[in-house]
Amino acid sequence: MGLEKNCGFDLHSRCQRGPGNRITDVPGVLVGHTTKHSGDVHTGVTAILPRPSDWFHQKVTAGATVINGFGKTAGLVQVEELGTIEAPILMTNTLSVGAALDSAVRYMLEKNGDIGLTTGTVNCIVTECNDGTLNDIRGQHITDDDVRAAIETAGADFAEGAVGSGSGMLCMGFKGGIGSASRVIEIGGKTYTVGGIVMTNFGGPGSFVIGGRHVGEEILRGPRKPVEDRGSIILVTATDVPLTARQCKRVSMRATAALGRVGSSMGNGSGDVSIAFSTANVIPHYPESPIASYPVLSDNYIDIVFTAAIEALEESIISALWHAETTVGRGGRTARGFREAWETYCRSMV
């Protein structure tokens, strides 16, 4: 599933791709979509499960970075404070954050009879981008069933492009969407995986860069000039490298390098949020001992994790655009798929 086999671009990767080249190459991580394409409705939900089940009682370590805070994400305050994730990470459109959050809370209450009774409440994470150009966002079309379906159908194999929460997104003047990639690394003689998934809805027309090549400018045949960088992107990184919450936050910060590589300036009007988590250590909700001990990667060996995360997120962004097909949205507004635009451009150059 290497992207270079599809579009012929050299991403100059230093790390090997995972077997599926998706975030689900990280053992235990699952992804599910609910996609809604009908009339003026082009939206959906994407769910990222950090473990196959029992997220509340068996938490994972996590960290987050708000690169630019033009966004309405819910749940990051507790991630920042406690450094764990205890529920699926949801992605949807901006005006459906409330509906998705309510649904996630109800779902977690049904699965965990102790929440709010014999123990504390639950921290659900809902992230968003604004799909209002192509989608009837004011209609708030995301339902409880949509959220549940995304969670319950999550698996290792999932679609990319204009699917799930990426159904109505735009990016760099083209159709945006969901993209994913992974990298396999070796530390201390052991093999680990770093995977990324993104929801792309950012960047100005003509800004798109692949492997150092200004493909957006080539397609538009326009001069290089500054453009307004608006919109949003959600970036999620997963790994089975044993990382602390502090180290997860450090990994999440490296998303800025991936954004820069594809041409983003992370502008004033862009909501750029990055989350990273490690599945290596289970943090029990009910610990058997007041003292916990877990294996942790030495910071002296973390650079390869940074490199793999940057590469996986960069390719995830490119993959989102490559797989997103041309979409006719609300009021006949059309977002052209990058692959279609690129293939048309290449034919014109022959």
Side-chain angles (χ1 to χ4, degrees), residues 107-128:
Y107 189 88
M108 293 298 292
L109 292 178
E110 290 176 12
K111 298 296 182 180
N112 303 277
D114 52 345
I115 293 176
L117 290 177
T118 59
T119 190
T121 57
V122 62
N123 184 54
C124 295
I125 300 173
V126 182
T127 65
E128 56 77 30

Side-chain angles (χ1 to χ4, degrees), residues 194-266:
V194 178
I197 188 170
V198 298
M199 174 169 64
T200 59
N201 194 53
F202 69 97
S207 299
F208 194 24
V209 176
I210 301 180
R213 183 172 178 177
H214 292 260
V215 294
E217 292 177 353
E218 290 184 47
I219 292 173
L220 296 179
R221 304 175 190 268
R224 296 186 179 183
K225 58 182 180 180
V227 294
E228 188 176 13
D229 196 338
R230 301 183 60 185
S232 298
I233 182 171
I234 303 300
L235 310 101
V236 178
T237 306
T239 185
D240 56 355
V241 177
L243 302 179
T244 64
R246 176 185 62 82
Q247 290 173 321
C248 286
K249 184 175 181 65
R250 296 186 72 198
V251 172
S252 72
M253 292 174 64
R254 269 59 190 182
T256 56
L259 283 167
R261 285 188 181 188
V262 299
S264 173
S265 60
M266 294 151 276

